[in-house]
Amino acid sequence: MAFSFGGATSNPAASTSGFSFGSFGAKPTASTAAFGFGPAATTTTTAASGFGTLTAPGFGAAATTAAAPATGFSFGFSSGLGAGTAAGTTGFGTGLGTTGLGGFGGFNIQPAQQQPGGLFGQQAQLQAQPTLLYQQVTALSAPTLLGDERDSILAKWNQLQAYWGTGKGYYSNNNQPVDFSQENPFCRFKAVGYSCVPVSKDEDGLVVLLFNRKEADVRAQQQPLVESLHKVLGNNQTLTVNVDGVKALPNDQTEVIVYVVERSPNGTSKRIPATTLFSYLEQANVKVQLTQIGVVMSVARTELSPAQLKQLLQNAPAGVDPIIWEQAKVDNPDPEKLIPVPMVSFKELFRRLQIQDQMNKQHQTRVDIISSDISDLQKNQATTVAKIAQYKRKLMDLSHRVLQVLIKQEIQRKSGYAIQVDEEHLRVQLDTIHSELNAPTQFKGRLNELMSQIRMQNHFGAARSEERYSVDADLLREIKQHLKQQQDGLSHLISVIKDDLEDIKLIEHGLSDSGHMKGGILS
Protein backbone atom coordinates (compact mmCIF):
# COMPACT_ATOMS: atom_id res chain seq x y z
CA MET A 1 0.00 0.00 0.00
CA ALA A 2 1.44 3.34 -0.98
CA PHE A 3 1.82 6.48 1.14
CA SER A 4 -0.22 9.33 -0.27
CA PHE A 5 -1.61 12.40 1.58
CA GLY A 6 -5.19 12.85 0.60
CA GLY A 7 -5.17 10.62 -2.49
CA ALA A 8 -5.16 6.94 -3.34
CA THR A 9 -2.66 5.03 -5.44
CA SER A 10 -2.99 4.45 -9.13
CA ASN A 11 -3.56 0.77 -8.49
CA PRO A 12 -7.29 0.19 -8.96
CA ALA A 13 -7.18 -2.95 -6.86
CA ALA A 14 -5.74 -1.30 -3.80
CA SER A 15 -7.89 0.94 -1.64
CA THR A 16 -6.72 3.22 1.14
CA SER A 17 -8.09 4.01 4.56
CA GLY A 18 -7.02 6.20 7.46
CA PHE A 19 -4.52 8.83 6.43
CA SER A 20 -4.51 7.17 3.01
CA PHE A 21 -0.83 6.40 3.51
CA GLY A 22 -1.71 2.83 4.37
CA SER A 23 -3.36 1.05 7.25
CA PHE A 24 -1.30 1.20 10.40
CA GLY A 25 0.75 -1.91 10.90
CA ALA A 26 0.27 -3.12 7.32
CA LYS A 27 3.27 -3.81 5.15
CA PRO A 28 3.73 -1.52 2.18
CA THR A 29 3.18 -2.95 -1.26
CA ALA A 30 5.01 -2.25 -4.41
CA SER A 31 2.39 0.03 -5.84
CA THR A 32 3.55 3.35 -7.21
CA ALA A 33 3.12 6.35 -4.91
CA ALA A 34 3.49 10.04 -5.57
CA PHE A 35 5.03 12.28 -2.91
CA GLY A 36 5.57 16.00 -3.20
CA PHE A 37 4.14 19.54 -3.03
CA GLY A 38 3.72 19.75 -6.79
CA PRO A 39 0.69 21.04 -8.68
CA ALA A 40 -2.59 19.18 -8.71
CA ALA A 41 -2.93 16.24 -11.08
CA THR A 42 -6.10 14.87 -12.57
CA THR A 43 -7.97 12.72 -10.05
CA THR A 44 -11.14 10.69 -10.16
CA THR A 45 -11.45 10.04 -6.43
CA THR A 46 -14.33 11.28 -4.35
CA ALA A 47 -11.75 12.40 -1.77
CA ALA A 48 -11.53 11.75 1.95
CA SER A 49 -14.68 11.91 3.99
CA GLY A 50 -14.90 13.00 7.61
CA PHE A 51 -14.42 16.63 8.50
CA GLY A 52 -13.64 17.75 4.97
CA THR A 53 -15.61 18.53 1.89
CA LEU A 54 -16.02 16.05 -0.91
CA THR A 55 -13.00 17.36 -2.80
CA ALA A 56 -9.75 17.67 -0.93
CA PRO A 57 -7.67 20.50 -2.37
CA GLY A 58 -4.71 21.47 -0.27
CA PHE A 59 -0.99 21.86 -0.28
CA GLY A 60 -0.32 19.31 -2.97
CA ALA A 61 -2.05 17.19 -5.54
CA ALA A 62 -3.60 13.74 -5.63
CA ALA A 63 -2.31 11.16 -8.08
CA THR A 64 -4.50 9.79 -10.81
CA THR A 65 -6.54 7.01 -9.26
CA ALA A 66 -9.68 5.01 -9.65
CA ALA A 67 -9.57 3.56 -6.17
CA ALA A 68 -12.29 3.57 -3.59
CA PRO A 69 -12.60 6.72 -1.51
CA ALA A 70 -10.60 7.01 1.66
CA THR A 71 -12.52 7.38 4.89
CA GLY A 72 -11.69 8.95 8.26
CA PHE A 73 -10.79 12.32 9.68
CA SER A 74 -9.52 15.31 7.76
CA PHE A 75 -7.38 17.61 9.89
CA GLY A 76 -8.59 20.79 8.31
CA PHE A 77 -6.13 22.19 5.78
CA SER A 78 -8.88 22.34 3.21
CA SER A 79 -11.78 21.11 5.28
CA GLY A 80 -12.30 21.93 8.94
CA LEU A 81 -11.85 20.86 12.52
CA GLY A 82 -15.34 19.89 13.44
CA ALA A 83 -16.96 20.59 10.05
CA GLY A 84 -19.02 17.78 8.60
CA THR A 85 -19.46 16.88 5.00
CA ALA A 86 -22.96 18.33 4.90
CA ALA A 87 -22.86 21.38 7.14
CA GLY A 88 -19.83 22.73 8.96
CA THR A 89 -20.14 23.66 12.63
CA THR A 90 -17.64 25.32 14.91
CA GLY A 91 -16.22 23.27 17.74
CA PHE A 92 -13.36 21.16 18.99
CA GLY A 93 -13.78 18.45 16.34
CA THR A 94 -15.00 14.89 16.65
CA GLY A 95 -13.70 12.17 18.89
CA LEU A 96 -10.46 10.27 18.46
CA GLY A 97 -12.09 6.86 18.16
CA THR A 98 -13.48 7.13 14.63
CA THR A 99 -12.36 4.44 12.22
CA GLY A 100 -9.46 5.66 10.13
CA LEU A 101 -7.63 8.97 10.48
CA GLY A 102 -8.51 10.68 7.23
CA GLY A 103 -6.42 12.52 4.66
CA PHE A 104 -4.58 15.80 4.99
CA GLY A 105 -6.18 17.18 1.87
CA GLY A 106 -3.66 16.19 -0.80
CA PHE A 107 -0.10 16.73 0.34
CA ASN A 108 1.15 13.92 -1.98
CA ILE A 109 4.84 13.86 -1.12
CA GLN A 110 6.57 12.72 -4.30
CA PRO A 111 10.14 11.51 -3.98
CA ALA A 112 10.17 10.11 -7.49
CA GLN A 113 8.68 12.80 -9.69
CA GLN A 114 9.20 16.41 -8.66
CA GLN A 115 7.17 19.12 -10.32
CA PRO A 116 7.53 22.87 -9.85
CA GLY A 117 4.89 24.90 -8.12
CA GLY A 118 2.96 24.12 -5.00
CA LEU A 119 2.34 26.26 -1.98
CA PHE A 120 5.82 26.07 -0.45
CA GLY A 121 7.89 26.09 -3.59
CA GLN A 122 9.93 23.30 -5.12
CA GLN A 123 10.80 20.00 -3.46
CA ALA A 124 14.50 20.81 -3.44
CA GLN A 125 13.92 23.87 -1.31
CA LEU A 126 11.75 21.85 1.10
CA GLN A 127 14.47 19.25 1.47
CA ALA A 128 17.09 21.89 2.05
CA GLN A 129 15.06 23.94 4.53
CA PRO A 130 12.13 21.88 5.84
CA THR A 131 9.41 23.99 7.37
CA LEU A 132 7.74 23.23 10.69
CA LEU A 133 4.57 22.18 8.89
CA TYR A 134 6.58 19.84 6.65
CA GLN A 135 8.21 18.29 9.69
CA GLN A 136 4.86 17.81 11.39
CA VAL A 137 3.35 16.21 8.28
CA THR A 138 6.33 13.91 7.90
CA ALA A 139 6.10 12.85 11.55
CA LEU A 140 2.40 12.12 11.16
CA SER A 141 2.52 10.34 7.83
CA ALA A 142 5.87 8.86 6.86
CA PRO A 143 8.45 8.71 9.67
CA THR A 144 11.68 6.95 8.69
CA LEU A 145 13.14 6.50 12.16
CA LEU A 146 13.25 2.68 12.28
CA GLY A 147 12.93 1.71 8.64
CA ASP A 148 10.35 -1.04 9.08
CA GLU A 149 6.69 -1.54 9.91
CA ARG A 150 7.24 0.01 13.35
CA ASP A 151 7.33 3.41 11.68
CA SER A 152 3.58 3.11 11.07
CA ILE A 153 3.04 2.57 14.81
CA LEU A 154 5.24 5.60 15.47
CA ALA A 155 3.11 7.58 13.01
CA LYS A 156 0.04 6.58 14.98
CA TRP A 157 1.64 7.78 18.18
CA ASN A 158 2.67 11.05 16.56
CA GLN A 159 -0.88 11.54 15.32
CA LEU A 160 -2.26 11.03 18.80
CA GLN A 161 0.20 13.58 20.18
CA ALA A 162 -0.71 16.03 17.43
CA TYR A 163 -4.41 15.58 18.18
CA TRP A 164 -3.82 16.21 21.86
CA GLY A 165 -1.39 19.08 21.26
CA THR A 166 1.51 17.89 23.38
CA GLY A 167 4.67 15.82 23.07
CA LYS A 168 7.44 15.40 20.52
CA GLY A 169 7.20 13.74 17.14
CA TYR A 170 10.20 11.65 16.08
CA TYR A 171 10.35 11.05 12.36
CA SER A 172 13.99 10.88 11.24
CA ASN A 173 17.42 9.97 12.59
CA ASN A 174 18.95 13.01 10.91
CA ASN A 175 16.54 15.64 12.26
CA GLN A 176 15.44 16.80 15.66
CA PRO A 177 11.96 15.78 16.81
CA VAL A 178 9.19 18.23 16.12
CA ASP A 179 7.28 19.75 19.07
CA PHE A 180 3.52 19.34 19.04
CA SER A 181 2.02 22.30 20.82
CA GLN A 182 -1.66 23.08 21.09
CA GLU A 183 -1.16 25.69 18.36
CA ASN A 184 -0.30 23.06 15.75
CA PRO A 185 -2.85 22.82 12.92
CA PHE A 186 -3.76 19.21 13.79
CA CYS A 187 -4.77 19.84 17.40
CA ARG A 188 -8.42 18.99 17.97
CA PHE A 189 -8.97 21.22 21.00
CA LYS A 190 -9.86 24.43 19.19
CA ALA A 191 -12.89 26.62 19.04
CA VAL A 192 -13.85 30.17 18.09
CA GLY A 193 -15.20 32.71 20.55
CA TYR A 194 -15.96 36.41 20.35
CA SER A 195 -14.37 39.48 21.89
CA CYS A 196 -15.36 43.12 21.90
CA VAL A 197 -13.90 45.32 19.20
CA PRO A 198 -11.55 47.91 20.77
CA VAL A 199 -13.05 51.37 20.66
CA SER A 200 -10.20 53.42 22.16
CA LYS A 201 -8.43 55.65 19.68
CA ASP A 202 -4.70 56.12 19.39
CA GLU A 203 -5.14 59.75 20.41
CA ASP A 204 -6.56 58.62 23.77
CA GLY A 205 -3.11 57.30 24.66
CA LEU A 206 -4.36 54.35 26.73
CA VAL A 207 -1.79 51.67 27.56
CA VAL A 208 -2.59 48.61 29.67
CA LEU A 209 -0.05 47.42 32.25
CA LEU A 210 -0.47 43.95 33.74
CA PHE A 211 0.68 43.28 37.32
CA ASN A 212 0.94 40.00 39.22
CA ARG A 213 -0.64 41.62 42.25
CA LYS A 214 -4.07 41.81 43.78
CA GLU A 215 -6.28 44.77 43.02
CA ALA A 216 -6.31 45.93 46.64
CA ASP A 217 -2.50 46.00 46.76
CA VAL A 218 -2.27 47.93 43.50
CA ARG A 219 -4.85 50.49 44.64
CA ALA A 220 -3.04 50.90 47.95
CA GLN A 221 0.22 51.58 46.11
CA GLN A 222 -1.26 53.61 43.28
CA GLN A 223 0.55 56.86 44.06
CA PRO A 224 4.01 55.21 44.39
CA LEU A 225 3.25 53.37 41.15
CA VAL A 226 2.56 56.67 39.36
CA GLU A 227 5.82 58.09 40.72
CA SER A 228 7.73 54.99 39.57
CA LEU A 229 6.25 55.26 36.07
CA HIS A 230 7.24 58.92 36.00
CA LYS A 231 10.82 57.88 36.81
CA VAL A 232 10.66 55.33 34.00
CA LEU A 233 9.75 58.20 31.68
CA GLY A 234 12.92 59.98 32.72
CA ASN A 235 11.46 62.33 35.36
CA ASN A 236 10.44 64.69 32.58
CA GLN A 237 8.65 67.61 34.22
CA THR A 238 6.51 68.21 31.15
CA LEU A 239 5.01 64.71 31.40
CA THR A 240 2.28 63.63 33.81
CA VAL A 241 1.26 60.02 34.36
CA ASN A 242 -2.46 59.46 34.97
CA VAL A 243 -4.33 56.29 35.90
CA ASP A 244 -7.51 55.80 33.87
CA GLY A 245 -8.70 52.66 35.62
CA VAL A 246 -7.77 49.63 37.71
CA LYS A 247 -9.47 46.27 37.12
CA ALA A 248 -9.02 42.92 38.82
CA LEU A 249 -8.20 39.86 36.71
CA PRO A 250 -8.17 36.14 37.53
CA ASN A 251 -5.20 34.49 39.24
CA ASP A 252 -4.59 37.56 41.46
CA GLN A 253 -3.61 39.75 38.53
CA THR A 254 -4.53 43.39 38.03
CA GLU A 255 -4.89 45.50 34.91
CA VAL A 256 -3.92 49.17 35.19
CA ILE A 257 -4.79 51.55 32.34
CA VAL A 258 -2.56 54.61 32.18
CA TYR A 259 -2.03 57.56 29.87
CA VAL A 260 0.57 60.31 29.76
CA VAL A 261 -0.18 64.01 29.30
CA GLU A 262 2.48 66.31 27.86
CA ARG A 263 2.36 70.02 28.75
CA SER A 264 3.86 72.47 26.29
CA PRO A 265 5.56 75.73 27.37
CA ASN A 266 2.63 77.79 26.05
CA GLY A 267 0.28 76.14 28.54
CA THR A 268 -1.50 73.71 26.25
CA SER A 269 -1.48 69.98 26.94
CA LYS A 270 -2.13 66.83 24.93
CA ARG A 271 -2.00 63.11 25.44
CA ILE A 272 0.89 61.05 24.15
CA PRO A 273 -0.47 58.64 21.49
CA ALA A 274 -0.83 55.06 22.65
CA THR A 275 1.45 53.65 19.97
CA THR A 276 4.21 56.13 20.83
CA LEU A 277 4.00 55.39 24.55
CA PHE A 278 3.86 51.64 23.91
CA SER A 279 6.91 51.79 21.63
CA TYR A 280 8.84 53.59 24.35
CA LEU A 281 7.79 51.09 27.02
CA GLU A 282 8.81 48.16 24.81
CA GLN A 283 12.44 49.28 24.68
CA ALA A 284 14.80 46.80 26.33
CA ASN A 285 16.14 49.10 29.05
CA VAL A 286 12.65 50.44 29.81
CA LYS A 287 11.17 46.93 30.03
CA VAL A 288 13.78 46.08 32.66
CA GLN A 289 12.65 49.04 34.75
CA LEU A 290 9.01 48.07 34.30
CA THR A 291 9.80 44.52 35.41
CA GLN A 292 11.40 45.86 38.55
CA ILE A 293 8.17 47.62 39.54
CA GLY A 294 6.11 44.51 38.83
CA VAL A 295 4.86 45.03 35.28
CA VAL A 296 4.43 41.70 33.51
CA MET A 297 3.11 42.90 30.17
CA SER A 298 2.12 46.11 28.44
CA VAL A 299 -0.41 46.49 25.63
CA ALA A 300 -1.53 49.53 23.65
CA ARG A 301 -5.32 49.85 23.68
CA THR A 302 -6.18 51.18 20.24
CA GLU A 303 -9.02 50.51 17.85
CA LEU A 304 -8.53 48.55 14.66
CA SER A 305 -8.54 50.40 11.39
CA PRO A 306 -11.02 49.22 8.74
CA ALA A 307 -8.14 47.71 6.75
CA GLN A 308 -6.81 45.83 9.80
CA LEU A 309 -10.27 44.59 10.69
CA LYS A 310 -10.88 43.45 7.12
CA GLN A 311 -7.56 41.63 7.01
CA LEU A 312 -8.25 40.00 10.38
CA LEU A 313 -11.62 38.69 9.25
CA GLN A 314 -10.50 37.60 5.80
CA ASN A 315 -7.51 35.54 6.93
CA ALA A 316 -8.14 32.63 9.27
CA PRO A 317 -5.64 32.39 12.18
CA ALA A 318 -2.95 29.76 12.09
CA GLY A 319 -4.31 26.31 12.82
CA VAL A 320 -7.97 27.32 12.40
CA ASP A 321 -9.81 25.89 9.45
CA PRO A 322 -11.12 28.52 7.03
CA ILE A 323 -14.54 26.86 7.00
CA ILE A 324 -14.83 27.17 10.77
CA TRP A 325 -13.62 30.76 10.55
CA GLU A 326 -16.22 31.62 7.91
CA GLN A 327 -18.95 29.93 9.96
CA ALA A 328 -17.84 31.90 13.03
CA LYS A 329 -18.19 35.14 11.07
CA VAL A 330 -21.68 34.13 9.99
CA ASP A 331 -22.68 33.23 13.57
CA ASN A 332 -21.37 36.50 15.00
CA PRO A 333 -24.25 37.89 17.12
CA ASP A 334 -23.11 41.51 16.72
CA PRO A 335 -20.59 42.06 13.90
CA GLU A 336 -20.40 45.77 14.69
CA LYS A 337 -19.16 45.22 18.25
CA LEU A 338 -17.72 41.69 18.31
CA ILE A 339 -14.97 39.93 16.40
CA PRO A 340 -14.24 36.19 16.32
CA VAL A 341 -11.09 35.06 18.13
CA PRO A 342 -9.61 31.54 18.22
CA MET A 343 -9.56 29.61 21.48
CA VAL A 344 -6.80 27.02 21.52
CA SER A 345 -6.77 24.37 24.26
CA PHE A 346 -8.85 24.00 27.37
CA LYS A 347 -6.46 26.33 29.18
CA GLU A 348 -7.55 29.25 26.99
CA LEU A 349 -11.19 28.27 27.41
CA PHE A 350 -10.74 28.13 31.19
CA ARG A 351 -9.00 31.52 31.13
CA ARG A 352 -11.95 33.09 29.30
CA LEU A 353 -14.32 31.43 31.77
CA GLN A 354 -12.36 32.93 34.67
CA ILE A 355 -12.44 36.37 33.06
CA GLN A 356 -16.18 36.03 32.51
CA ASP A 357 -16.72 35.02 36.16
CA GLN A 358 -14.57 37.95 37.26
CA MET A 359 -16.61 40.31 35.09
CA ASN A 360 -19.85 38.86 36.46
CA LYS A 361 -18.62 39.52 40.00
CA GLN A 362 -17.74 43.09 39.09
CA HIS A 363 -21.15 43.59 37.51
CA GLN A 364 -22.85 42.11 40.58
CA THR A 365 -20.81 44.39 42.84
CA ARG A 366 -21.80 47.39 40.73
CA VAL A 367 -25.46 46.30 40.80
CA ASP A 368 -25.31 46.00 44.60
CA ILE A 369 -23.82 49.49 44.84
CA ILE A 370 -26.52 50.88 42.56
CA SER A 371 -29.21 49.09 44.59
CA SER A 372 -27.80 50.56 47.81
CA ASP A 373 -27.74 54.02 46.24
CA ILE A 374 -31.34 53.61 45.10
CA SER A 375 -32.40 52.60 48.62
CA ASP A 376 -30.66 55.66 50.06
CA LEU A 377 -32.28 57.88 47.45
CA GLN A 378 -35.70 56.44 48.26
CA LYS A 379 -35.16 57.15 51.94
CA ASN A 380 -34.01 60.66 51.15
CA GLN A 381 -37.03 61.13 48.89
CA ALA A 382 -39.44 60.04 51.64
CA THR A 383 -37.73 62.41 54.10
CA THR A 384 -37.86 65.21 51.56
CA VAL A 385 -41.57 64.63 50.86
CA ALA A 386 -42.34 64.75 54.59
CA LYS A 387 -40.35 67.96 54.97
CA ILE A 388 -42.13 69.49 51.98
CA ALA A 389 -45.52 68.68 53.52
CA GLN A 390 -44.38 70.13 56.83
CA TYR A 391 -43.14 73.29 55.16
CA LYS A 392 -46.43 73.59 53.24
CA ARG A 393 -48.40 73.48 56.50
CA LYS A 394 -46.05 75.97 58.05
CA LEU A 395 -46.38 78.23 55.01
CA MET A 396 -50.17 78.09 55.25
CA ASP A 397 -50.09 78.95 58.94
CA LEU A 398 -47.75 81.85 58.28
CA SER A 399 -49.98 83.00 55.41
CA HIS A 400 -53.01 83.04 57.72
CA ARG A 401 -51.06 84.96 60.34
CA VAL A 402 -49.89 87.47 57.76
CA LEU A 403 -53.46 87.80 56.49
CA GLN A 404 -54.72 88.45 60.01
CA VAL A 405 -52.02 91.06 60.55
CA LEU A 406 -52.92 92.71 57.25
CA ILE A 407 -56.61 92.70 58.20
CA LYS A 408 -55.92 94.35 61.53
CA GLN A 409 -53.57 96.84 59.93
CA GLU A 410 -56.11 97.65 57.25
CA ILE A 411 -58.87 98.09 59.87
CA GLN A 412 -56.71 100.49 61.82
CA ARG A 413 -55.77 102.35 58.67
CA LYS A 414 -59.39 102.63 57.51
CA SER A 415 -60.81 103.51 60.93
CA GLY A 416 -62.74 106.81 60.82
CA TYR A 417 -63.23 106.64 57.05
CA ALA A 418 -66.52 105.98 55.33
CA ILE A 419 -66.97 102.85 53.27
CA GLN A 420 -65.77 103.50 49.78
CA VAL A 421 -67.52 102.48 46.60
CA ASP A 422 -65.17 99.66 45.70
CA GLU A 423 -65.38 98.31 49.24
CA GLU A 424 -69.15 98.41 49.04
CA HIS A 425 -69.04 96.54 45.75
CA LEU A 426 -66.70 93.98 47.30
CA ARG A 427 -69.02 93.56 50.30
CA VAL A 428 -72.00 93.05 47.99
CA GLN A 429 -70.09 90.45 46.01
CA LEU A 430 -69.08 88.65 49.19
CA ASP A 431 -72.63 88.64 50.46
CA THR A 432 -73.83 87.29 47.14
CA ILE A 433 -71.27 84.51 47.19
CA HIS A 434 -72.14 83.68 50.81
CA SER A 435 -75.85 83.53 50.04
CA GLU A 436 -75.23 81.31 47.02
CA LEU A 437 -73.13 78.97 49.08
CA ASN A 438 -75.75 78.77 51.84
CA ALA A 439 -78.73 78.38 49.49
CA PRO A 440 -80.42 74.98 50.02
CA THR A 441 -80.53 74.21 46.29
CA GLN A 442 -77.07 75.47 45.58
CA PHE A 443 -73.61 74.34 46.55
CA LYS A 444 -74.15 73.75 50.25
CA GLY A 445 -77.24 71.62 49.66
CA ARG A 446 -75.50 69.66 46.99
CA LEU A 447 -72.49 69.14 49.23
CA ASN A 448 -74.73 67.90 52.04
CA GLU A 449 -76.42 65.52 49.62
CA LEU A 450 -73.08 64.25 48.34
CA MET A 451 -71.84 63.79 51.90
CA SER A 452 -74.97 61.77 52.71
CA GLN A 453 -74.47 59.56 49.65
CA ILE A 454 -70.81 59.06 50.48
CA ARG A 455 -71.71 58.07 54.03
CA MET A 456 -74.33 55.65 52.74
CA GLN A 457 -71.88 54.13 50.27
CA ASN A 458 -69.23 53.80 52.93
CA HIS A 459 -71.80 52.27 55.26
CA PHE A 460 -73.02 49.72 52.71
CA GLY A 461 -69.51 49.03 51.43
CA ALA A 462 -68.21 48.34 54.92
CA ALA A 463 -71.25 46.18 55.68
CA ARG A 464 -70.68 44.11 52.51
CA SER A 465 -66.92 43.76 53.00
CA GLU A 466 -66.96 43.03 56.73
CA GLU A 467 -70.45 41.40 56.87
CA ARG A 468 -71.45 43.45 59.93
CA TYR A 469 -73.30 46.67 60.61
CA SER A 470 -71.58 49.96 61.13
CA VAL A 471 -72.99 53.29 62.29
CA ASP A 472 -71.93 56.66 61.09
CA ALA A 473 -70.00 58.66 63.67
CA ASP A 474 -72.45 61.57 63.67
CA LEU A 475 -75.43 59.23 63.91
CA LEU A 476 -73.73 57.29 66.67
CA ARG A 477 -73.11 60.50 68.52
CA GLU A 478 -76.79 61.46 68.20
CA ILE A 479 -77.87 58.01 69.40
CA LYS A 480 -75.57 58.27 72.37
CA GLN A 481 -76.95 61.70 73.20
CA HIS A 482 -80.55 60.42 72.91
CA LEU A 483 -79.82 57.41 75.11
CA LYS A 484 -78.15 59.68 77.63
CA GLN A 485 -81.23 61.87 77.73
CA GLN A 486 -83.43 58.82 78.20
CA GLN A 487 -81.19 57.62 80.97
CA ASP A 488 -81.31 61.01 82.66
CA GLY A 489 -85.14 60.98 82.42
CA LEU A 490 -85.29 57.50 83.90
CA SER A 491 -82.99 58.55 86.69
CA HIS A 492 -85.17 61.59 87.42
CA LEU A 493 -88.34 59.43 87.36
CA ILE A 494 -86.73 56.95 89.75
CA SER A 495 -85.81 59.74 92.13
CA VAL A 496 -89.43 61.09 92.00
CA ILE A 497 -90.82 57.63 92.72
CA LYS A 498 -88.43 57.25 95.64
CA ASP A 499 -89.58 60.59 97.06
CA ASP A 500 -93.21 59.59 96.63
CA LEU A 501 -92.59 56.32 98.42
CA GLU A 502 -91.01 58.11 101.31
CA ASP A 503 -94.01 60.45 101.46
CA ILE A 504 -96.41 57.49 101.41
CA LYS A 505 -94.49 55.82 104.20
CA LEU A 506 -94.61 59.05 106.18
CA ILE A 507 -98.40 59.33 105.66
CA GLU A 508 -98.92 55.72 106.71
CA HIS A 509 -96.82 56.30 109.78
CA GLY A 510 -98.86 59.43 110.65
CA LEU A 511 -102.16 57.59 110.19
CA SER A 512 -101.06 54.78 112.41
CA ASP A 513 -100.05 57.21 115.16
CA SER A 514 -103.42 59.02 115.04
CA GLY A 515 -105.34 55.74 115.35
CA HIS A 516 -103.50 54.79 118.52
CA MET A 517 -104.28 58.19 120.01
CA LYS A 518 -108.05 57.86 119.34
CA GLY A 519 -108.13 54.44 120.95
CA GLY A 520 -106.53 55.73 124.12
CA ILE A 521 -109.03 58.55 124.44
CA LEU A 522 -112.05 56.26 124.12
CA SER A 523 -110.74 53.93 126.71
Side-chain angles (χ1 to χ4, degrees):
M1 186 174 293
F3 296 93
S4 175
F5 285 86
T9 63
S10 59
N11 185 3
S15 62
T16 60
S17 62
F19 269 99
S20 66
F21 51 73
S23 60
F24 296 106
K27 295 182 180 180
T29 63
S31 59
T32 58
F35 294 87
F37 289 91
T42 305
T43 176
T44 58
T45 62
T46 56
S49 63
F51 289 92
T53 54
L54 292 179
T55 59
F59 291 89
T64 303
T65 176
T71 60
F73 288 114
S74 175
F75 276 152
F77 285 90
S78 60
S79 57
L81 298 175
T85 57
T89 56
T90 59
F92 289 106
T94 60
L96 299 176
T98 309
T99 305
L101 295 175
F104 285 101
F107 270 86
N108 294 334
I109 304 176
Q110 301 176 358
Q113 296 180 358
Q114 302 174 1
Q115 299 178 356
L119 183 61
F120 294 107
Q122 297 181 355
Q123 178 67 20
Q125 295 178 354
L126 288 175
Q127 292 179 353
Q129 296 181 353
T131 62
L132 177 61
L133 182 60
Y134 179 82
Q135 295 174 356
Q136 292 174 348
V137 171
T138 304
L140 296 178
S141 60
T144 58
L145 186 66
L146 302 175
D148 53 18
E149 66 272 6
R150 292 176 295 177
D151 287 338
S152 62
I153 302 176
L154 180 61
K156 271 188 173 183
W157 174 246
N158 290 339
Q159 293 162 15
L160 182 61
Q161 293 184 103
Y163 284 156
W164 194 258
T166 183
K168 294 180 180 294
Y170 293 87
Y171 64 97
S172 175
N173 292 320
N174 299 326
N175 297 318
Q176 295 293 328
V178 61
D179 290 329
F180 290 117
S181 64
Q182 292 181 338
E183 286 76 17
N184 78 83
F186 310 108
C187 180
R188 295 292 185 183
F189 303 112
K190 295 179 182 178
V192 178
Y194 300 94
S195 295
C196 294
V197 178
V199 294
S200 301
K201 298 181 180 179
D202 189 27
E203 294 78 9
D204 297 334
L206 300 180
V207 175
V208 179
L209 303 178
L210 183 63
F211 291 84
N212 278 332
R213 299 178 185 174
K214 295 183 179 180
E215 180 186 8
D217 299 337
V218 174
R219 289 187 180 276
Q221 301 293 327
Q222 182 170 331
Q223 187 59 33
L225 173 63
V226 172
E227 295 176 357
S228 301
L229 292 176
H230 191 263
K231 291 180 181 179
V232 171
L233 297 176
N235 286 326
N236 193 339
Q237 300 300 322
T238 61
L239 301 179
T240 304
V241 180
N242 299 274
V243 176
D244 185 72
V246 179
K247 184 174 68 175
L249 296 178
N251 301 324
D252 292 335
Q253 291 183 334
T254 304
E255 175 186 280
V256 180
I257 304 175
V258 300
Y259 63 92
V260 178
V261 177
E262 181 182 13
R263 297 190 305 272
S264 59
N266 58 4
T268 60
S269 61
K270 67 174 183 178
R271 293 190 181 187
I272 302 297
T275 53
T276 304
L277 180 59
F278 175 72
S279 300
Y280 177 81
L281 296 179
E282 285 297 305
Q283 296 179 10
N285 57 338
V286 177
K287 291 192 69 172
V288 172
Q289 300 180 31
L290 292 176
T291 305
Q292 293 176 355
I293 63 176
V295 177
V296 179
M297 182 178 62
S298 59
V299 178
R301 178 165 291 183
T302 56
E303 64 179 356
L304 297 174
S305 65
Q308 292 175 338
L309 188 60
K310 182 179 180 181
Q311 183 180 6
L312 175 65
L313 295 177
Q314 284 182 348
N315 302 323
V320 177
D321 189 85
I323 296 180
I324 297 180
W325 188 251
E326 292 296 329
Q327 186 65 34
K329 292 191 292 184
V330 173
D331 297 338
N332 191 344
D334 191 351
E336 297 295 332
K337 297 181 180 179
L338 301 177
I339 55 174
V341 292
M343 292 186 295
V344 181
S345 76
F346 287 103
K347 182 178 180 181
E348 176 66 18
L349 184 62
F350 180 67
R351 186 187 70 85
R352 290 177 67 91
L353 180 61
Q354 286 181 320
I355 294 176
Q356 185 175 1
D357 290 340
Q358 186 74 26
M359 187 61 64
N360 289 338
K361 291 179 181 178
Q362 293 179 358
H363 289 171
Q364 186 61 43
T365 302
R366 177 58 57 184
V367 168
D368 294 340
I369 294 174
I370 294 174
S371 178
S372 177
D373 293 342
I374 290 175
S375 299
D376 295 339
L377 290 175
Q378 289 177 346
K379 293 179 181 178
N380 294 336
Q381 182 187 11
T383 304
T384 304
V385 169
K387 288 184 177 179
I388 289 174
Q390 180 181 358
Y391 290 149
K392 283 183 177 179
R393 291 193 299 267
K394 189 175 181 180
L395 176 62
M396 187 174 294
D397 295 339
L398 293 176
S399 300
H400 291 168
R401 293 177 60 183
V402 170
L403 183 59
Q404 292 176 359
V405 172
L406 290 176
I407 290 173
K408 292 180 179 180
Q409 183 181 4
E410 189 68 15
I411 291 173
Q412 292 179 359
R413 190 176 68 86
K414 293 290 185 177
S415 62
Y417 292 92
I419 298 177
Q420 298 179 0
V421 178
D422 54 350
E423 293 177 347
E424 182 63 26
H425 290 169
L426 182 61
R427 186 181 65 81
V428 171
Q429 291 177 1
L430 290 175
D431 291 340
T432 304
I433 294 172
H434 187 267
S435 61
E436 289 179 356
L437 290 176
N438 293 329
T441 59
Q442 293 298 324
F443 301 104
K444 190 173 183 179
R446 294 179 181 178
L447 288 175
N448 292 333
E449 183 179 358
L450 290 175
M451 289 297 297
S452 301
Q453 292 179 0
I454 291 173
R455 289 174 183 175
M456 292 292 292
Q457 290 179 358
N458 292 336
H459 172 68
F460 290 128
R464 285 194 299 268
S465 61
E466 301 179 2
E467 295 183 357
R468 62 184 181 87
Y469 293 101
S470 61
V471 182
D472 185 67
D474 296 337
L475 182 60
L476 182 62
R477 186 167 54 252
E478 294 177 0
I479 293 174
K480 287 182 178 180
Q481 185 176 2
H482 178 71
L483 292 176
K484 185 178 180 181
Q485 293 175 357
Q486 294 292 333
Q487 185 178 5
D488 293 340
L490 291 174
S491 300
H492 181 68
L493 181 60
I494 291 172
S495 64
V496 171
I497 292 172
K498 286 182 179 181
D499 294 340
D500 292 342
L501 289 175
E502 290 179 358
D503 294 339
I504 291 171
K505 288 180 180 181
L506 183 60
I507 293 171
E508 289 178 353
H509 182 68
L511 291 175
S512 62
D513 289 343
S514 63
H516 289 300
M517 290 178 64
K518 288 179 179 181
I521 294 173
L522 292 175
S523 62

